[in-house]
Amino acid sequence: MRELRLLLYLQRVNALRRNEIRHTRDSRQRRRLIWMLVLYIVLALTGLAYAVGISWGVYAAGLAALLPGMAVTMSAAAALMVTVIRAQGLLFDAQGWERLAALPIRHSTVVWARLLDLYLTALGMSVLIMLPAAVFYALAQGAAALPLWLLLWLLAPLLPLGLGLGIAALLAVAARRFRQRHLLVALLALPLTGWLMLALYTSPLSAAGGDAAMLDMMRSAGGAMSTAYPPANWAALAVQGSPGHLLLLTCVSLGAAALAAAILLRWTPGHTGRQAAAQAHGHAGRPLPPLWALVRKEWRRMLASPLYLMNTGMAVWLAPVMLLLLPLVKPDAAALLRDMPRVMAPLIRFLPLIACFFAGMSVPSAISLSMEGKSAWLMCTAPVSAGTLLGSKALFSFLFCLMPAALGGGLLAWHMQPGWAAALACVLLPVALCALLSVWGLALDLRFARYDWESEQQIVKSSAQTGLGLLSGFVLMALMGLVLWLMPAQWAAQTAWALALLLALAAAWLMRRLSRRRVYQVQ
Amino acid sequence: MQPILDIRGFSKSYDGKAMAVDGLRLAIQPGDIYGFIGKNGAGKTTTLRAAAGILRFDTGDMLVDGVSVKADPLQCKRKIAYIPDNPDLYEFLTGRQYLDFVADLFDISREERHQRIAHYAQALDLTDRLGDLISSYSHGMKQKLAMIGGFIHRPLLFLMDEPFVGLDPEAVVRVRQIIRDFCAQGSAVFFSTHVLEVAQKLCNKVAVIKEGRLIAAGPTDQVRGQGSLEEYFLEAMRDA
C-alpha cells in the first residue's frame, strides 16, 4: 500500500505543473507556469459552462429525467477518450517502465498505480459533467437522489476505463509490429474518435425531418444515448429507485474494470520489455537540400512521438475522417439537415468557418522548437539560416495540415452542397488558417521556447505555447465568425475568400519577420 | 597568421550580475590543439557554447577564420564542428539517418558522405550499429556518433567539450589520431578537459581559466614549466 501511495504521489505530484510552480527559483518560469495553470482552469471552466448549459437546457425543457442517462453517457465518452489517449503514454511507455525497473517495487503495484491514475483523471473529467447534471436533477426531482448521483459519478468511468484499456492495449500490440507504430496508432485511433464524435453529435437528428425535429432533439438525444449505451439506461432507472439496475450497473462497471486490470497485471511488463527491444531498426536516406532535410527530420520526430502526434497533429485529420465516416454512421444526416431551412441558412453562411473548426485546433509548430529539447545544440550549430531553420518547422506544420484541411473542407462542401463559391471557400479558408497558425505557432514557440524538459509531456501537454496555440485558433475563428456575421449573407463565400487571402498574407508577412530572428538555446 | 579562433574580450553573465566569463582573450592558430582547463563552473563550457553559436552574448566578440560569430554566425558555423560534453542527439533517428541529416545540412555529396561515414564509422567501431536507433546507443556510442558527425564535413575548427568522457580506450587513441591528422592539414582544435594528463600529452597549447578569468595561456611546456601540468594546475587553483 505504501508503494502504491508513493507511486501515485510520483505520478500526480506535478499534475498541472503544481510542483514546479511551488519550487522553481526562476521567477520568469514561475509566471509562465502560473499563466498556463490559469489557462487550464479557463479550459476546465469552459467545459463546465458547456455542461451547465446542456443540463440547464434539458431541465428547462422539463426533461430532467433524461439527465442521469445523458450525464453517464457523456462521462463515459470522455473517460473512454482520455483513457485511450493517456494509456499509450502511461501504461505502454517502455522508458517509463525502465525508470522503475531497478527499484524494489512489484510490477503489479506499478500497474495498479497507473490504473488508479487513469481512473482519477476520468473522475476529474466526469465531475465537470456530473455535477451540473446532479444539481439540475435535484432541482427538478428533489435532493433525495443525490447520494445515488455520487455513486454514479464513481461508477460511470469504470466501464469505459476497461474498454479504453482494451482498445489501448490492442493499439499497442498492433503498433508494435510496425516500424511507424505511432502513425499506426494515430490511424487506428482517428476513425474510432471520429465514429464516437459522429455518433454523439448526429444521434439527435431525427428522421421526422423539418424544423419540428429540432424540438424533439433533446428527447431523442436521451433515447439515442440510452439505446447506444445501455449503462446510461440502467443509471437512469437506478436513480429513479430501481435497486436491480443499480446492482447491474455496479457489477458491470466493477467487473469490466477488474477484468481489464487483471489482464494488464499479467501482460503489461512483458509487453513493454519487448517494445524496448523492438526499437532498433533503420535505413539510410537519400541526400536532400538543407530545408527538406530539416522538414524530413521534423516528420520523423513527429512519427517517433505519440504524444506530439496525437496532441498536435490529430485534430485536423478528424474532419475528413468524420466526413468520410458520416455516410456509414448516419447515411441520411446531410439530407436531414438540408430539410431544415432554419438550420441550413446559417449553416451555409458559416460553412467555411465550420470547415476550419478542426484545422484551428492543430498547431504542430507551436512546440516544434521546444521539441528539440536537449538536442537543441544541433539546431543552434547547424550551418543554416534562421529563415531555413524556422521555415522548415513552419513548412512541415503547414504541409502536415494542408491535405486534411483541404480534404475536410472539400468533403464538407460535398455533403452540404452549398454552391461552388462557398465550396471553394470551404477549401481555401481552412488551408489559409493552417498557413497562418503554422507561422503563428512558431512565433509563440520562439517567445516561450523551453529546451530543458525531462519528459515530452512537459512541452506537449503543459506548455504555455500549446495552450496559446489552441486559444489563437479559437480567437481567429471567433473573429472570422464575427466578420461573416457582419457581412450580408449573400456575400458570405466572397467574404471567406477575402479572409483566406488576408490570412495567407499575414502568414507570409509574419514568416518574413521571423526569418530575421536568430535562434539560441540560451539567451 | 590569422587565428582560426580569435576570442576578443568575451564576457557572459547569465543573470546580469555574476560574470560566468569575464574579458576572455585567446587566439587559436591553424594546427593548434588547444586545451582549455579549469574547475567545474569556471566558464569553459560557456566559452565553447558561445563560440559555437548556442549562447547569445553581448560583450566582446569571437572571430572564426576572421569572421565574427555575432555578425555572420552562419558563415562561422559552416567551418565549425561542435561536440558537447553530453551528446544529446536526435534519439528518434538511426545513426545513419543522423549522419545523413548532418551531411545534408553541410551539403556533402552522396559519394563523399558514404566514403567519409564508412571511414570514420570503421575507425570508431560503429559501423554495425549505424542502422540502430540512437535511443539504443550507450553514452560512448553517442559520443562517437557526434564525433563522426563533426568529422564528416571537414571543419576548420573543432570545439569540443570533454570529448574523451565515455569513450573506450581504443576510441580515445583513434580520436586523438584523427584530431592530429586534421590539425596537420591546417584545422585547429579547442577543447575543454579535466584530464590533465591527456591535455599534457595531446595539446601543444593550453589555457587555464578560473572563475571566468583567464589565468594562463600559451604553449603547454611554457605553462607547466618544470613540473607536470597537474602540479601547475593545482598550484594555480590555490594561488590565483
Side-chain angles (χ1 to χ4, degrees):
Chain A
M1 200 62 193
R2 189 172 154 274
E3 288 176 359
L4 185 68
R5 207 174 61 238
L6 283 171
L7 281 173
L8 255 184
Y9 169 77
L10 190 70
Q11 284 161 204
R12 308 298 301 186
V13 68
N14 202 29
L16 300 175
R17 314 282 293 272
R18 296 189 320 266
N19 203 46
E20 284 177 79
I21 292 174
R22 280 179 63 196
H23 298 293
T24 182
R25 291 184 181 187
D26 183 345
S27 54
R28 199 172 146 208
Q29 172 72 353
R30 180 179 285 121
R31 273 200 305 276
R32 193 184 294 173
L33 290 172
I34 289 171
W35 273 113
M36 215 174 58
L37 185 65
V38 169
L39 192 74
Y40 274 120
I41 292 168
V42 169
L43 283 175
L45 288 176
T46 310
L48 185 64
Y50 272 117
V52 169
I54 292 170
S55 299
W56 175 80
V58 174
Y59 162 76
L63 299 169
L66 293 176
L67 280 170
M70 288 177 82
V72 166
T73 310
M74 284 158 71
S75 294
L80 182 68
M81 266 200 279
V82 81
T83 303
V84 172
I85 292 169
R86 284 205 72 215
Q88 290 297 325
L90 198 62
L91 271 165
F92 307 117
D93 170 34
Q95 281 184 342
W97 284 91
E98 278 174 14
R99 274 188 215 116
L100 298 172
L103 299 175
I105 302 170
R106 278 168 297 182
H107 276 308
S108 58
T109 314
V110 181
V111 174
W112 276 117
R114 296 191 169 185
L115 288 178
L116 264 173
D117 192 320
L118 289 171
Y119 178 60
L120 290 174
T121 309
L123 273 184
M125 292 191 71
S126 182
V127 76
L128 297 176
I129 299 165
M130 285 281 192
L131 189 65
V135 169
F136 282 106
Y137 186 85
L139 284 176
Q141 313 277 354
L146 281 179
L148 279 170
W149 273 93
L150 182 67
L151 194 60
L152 283 190
W153 171 56
L154 294 172
L155 290 176
L158 286 174
L159 180 58
L161 185 79
L163 285 172
L165 287 172
I167 293 167
L170 285 175
L171 286 173
V173 170
R176 188 160 53 84
R177 299 178 186 280
F178 294 87
R179 189 165 173 270
Q180 304 291 10
R181 59 188 180 288
H182 303 315
L183 185 63
L184 185 80
V185 170
L187 289 177
L188 291 173
L190 260 175
L192 179 79
T193 315
W195 176 81
L196 261 174
M197 293 183 75
L198 274 176
L200 204 65
Y201 289 115
T202 60
S203 60
L205 285 173
S206 158
D211 288 354
M214 293 292 287
L215 300 172
D216 292 334
M217 187 176 283
M218 281 184 275
R219 191 176 285 111
S220 63
M225 284 179 185
S226 298
T227 311
Y229 189 60
N233 197 29
W234 306 339
L237 293 169
V239 172
Q240 284 164 19
S242 167
H245 284 99
L246 181 63
L247 187 67
L248 183 63
L249 180 70
T250 309
C251 290
V252 169
S253 300
L254 289 175
L259 185 66
I263 294 168
L264 285 171
L265 281 169
R266 290 191 64 82
W267 181 76
T268 312
H271 163 76
T272 48
R274 285 195 297 276
Q275 187 189 35
Q279 283 179 353
H281 295 287
H283 63 88
R286 62 188 171 84
L288 287 173
L291 177 70
W292 290 103
L294 287 162
V295 170
R296 182 168 66 180
K297 185 258 292 175
E298 293 297 316
W299 168 244
R300 283 174 170 157
R301 182 196 298 286
M302 180 166 265
L303 291 191
S305 166
L307 266 178
Y308 188 20
L309 179 64
M310 303 282 271
N311 285 276
T312 68
M314 281 269 286
V316 69
W317 284 92
L318 266 176
V321 167
M322 283 173 71
L323 290 162
L324 280 169
L325 285 174
L326 186 62
L328 300 174
V329 178
K330 190 86 174 175
D332 53 350
L336 286 170
L337 276 174
R338 283 198 297 270
D339 282 345
M340 299 179 188
R342 276 174 55 188
V343 178
M344 271 305 275
L347 201 64
I348 295 295
R349 184 176 185 179
F350 292 101
L351 204 59
L353 201 61
I354 294 168
C356 290
F357 184 71
F358 289 110
M361 292 198 286
S362 292
V363 198
S365 61
I367 51 167
S368 58
L369 271 173
S370 296
M371 282 299 285
E372 296 281 338
K374 287 176 182 166
S375 54
W377 66 272
L378 283 163
M379 174 182 73
C380 298
T381 56
V384 290
S385 66
T388 307
L389 187 74
L390 298 175
S392 72
K393 289 180 182 292
L395 183 61
F396 167 72
S397 182
F398 176 60
L399 290 178
F400 188 86
C401 299
L402 174 65
M403 195 173 87
L407 190 63
L411 283 167
L412 185 66
W414 181 66
H415 280 301
M416 303 310 298
Q417 300 167 14
W420 72 270
L424 185 61
C426 284
V427 175
L428 289 180
L429 198 58
V431 168
L433 181 66
C434 285
L436 180 58
L437 285 178
S438 296
V439 186
W440 173 245
L442 198 62
L444 283 175
D445 205 13
L446 262 174
R447 171 72 182 77
F448 296 103
R450 187 184 160 199
Y451 304 110
D452 60 347
W453 45 267
E454 292 297 327
S455 138
E456 280 179 1
Q457 192 121 0
Q458 289 171 267
I459 285 300
V460 177
K461 294 239 184 208
S462 317
S463 64
Q465 53 272 47
T466 307
L468 286 172
L470 199 65
L471 199 65
S472 307
F474 285 137
V475 168
L476 267 176
M477 282 192 285
L479 289 174
M480 290 194 294
L482 187 66
V483 173
L484 283 172
W485 181 68
L486 289 172
M487 295 298 285
Q490 67 269 27
W491 290 358
Q494 289 77 2
T495 307
W497 294 356
L499 284 172
L501 181 66
L502 206 65
L503 295 182
L505 289 173
W509 173 80
L510 187 59
M511 191 65 232
R512 225 177 131 190
R513 276 185 65 102
L514 291 183
S515 298
R516 294 185 199 133
R517 296 274 297 270
R518 285 197 191 145
V519 182
Y520 293 98
Q521 193 174 352
V522 180
Q523 290 293 324
Chain B
M1 193 188 297
Q2 177 169 272
I4 286 186
L5 177 64
D6 192 359
I7 302 173
R8 297 178 173 176
F10 162 67
S11 298
K12 172 73 188 175
S13 168
Y14 289 100
D15 57 5
K17 296 169 198 163
M19 301 301 285
V21 180
D22 193 3
L24 183 70
R25 289 180 181 278
L26 209 58
I28 288 126
Q29 304 292 343
D32 274 351
I33 301 180
Y34 217 123
F36 197 26
I37 55 181
K39 293 207 295 193
N40 292 331
K44 304 184 296 295
T45 300
T46 298
T47 307
L48 288 168
R49 285 161 70 85
I54 299 169
L55 267 182
R56 185 178 184 163
F57 62 97
D58 298 317
T59 311
D61 204 351
M62 297 197 188
L63 276 64
V64 177
D65 201 25
V67 179
S68 163
V69 171
K70 283 161 86 173
D72 193 351
L74 198 60
Q75 186 66 16
C76 295
K77 287 175 190 178
R78 290 201 179 100
K79 297 173 181 173
I80 290 175
Y82 171 70
I83 318 286
D85 57 341
N86 198 3
D88 290 301
L89 306 173
Y90 295 129
E91 305 229 328
F92 53 90
L93 297 180
T94 65
R96 178 79 204 193
Q97 286 171 341
Y98 169 74
L99 294 175
D100 268 326
F101 171 70
V102 174
D104 283 334
L105 294 183
F106 283 91
D107 200 20
I108 300 168
S109 71
R110 182 186 283 252
E111 294 74 30
E112 278 180 322
R113 77 173 64 177
H114 283 308
Q115 193 189 337
R116 292 177 194 175
I117 290 171
H119 173 70
Y120 293 119
Q122 195 180 13
L124 297 181
D125 197 20
L126 204 62
T127 310
D128 293 342
R129 298 297 305 272
L130 284 183
D132 294 348
L133 280 174
I134 296 173
S135 55
S136 70
Y137 283 18
S138 67
H139 177 92
M141 288 163 70
K142 286 181 190 171
Q143 188 77 350
K144 287 179 186 177
L145 189 68
M147 286 196 171
I148 298 172
F151 296 149
I152 58 171
H153 62 89
R154 302 268 157 95
L156 198 58
L157 173 65
F158 286 94
L159 298 168
M160 297 173 153
D161 198 354
E162 294 287 350
F164 302 111
V165 172
L167 290 183
D168 57 71
E170 192 183 350
V172 171
V173 173
R174 297 276 171 84
V175 168
R176 273 193 222 165
Q177 191 51 52
I178 293 169
I179 285 174
R180 285 196 183 107
D181 290 346
F182 269 107
C183 292
Q185 290 165 30
S187 295
V189 177
F190 184 41
F191 76 99
S192 70
T193 183
H194 287 125
V195 189
L196 300 180
E197 200 183 337
V198 169
Q200 188 173 327
K201 274 187 188 169
L202 183 64
C203 304
N204 64 323
K205 290 179 186 166
V206 289
V208 184
I209 186 170
K210 184 184 179 187
E211 291 166 8
R213 289 171 183 272
L214 193 69
I215 57 170
T220 311
D221 292 342
Q222 273 183 28
V223 171
R224 71 185 169 94
Q226 297 301 311
S228 68
L229 193 58
E230 192 175 85
E231 285 165 350
Y232 165 77
F233 181 75
L234 292 174
E235 198 173 322
M237 290 302 111
R238 271 198 303 270
D239 298 343

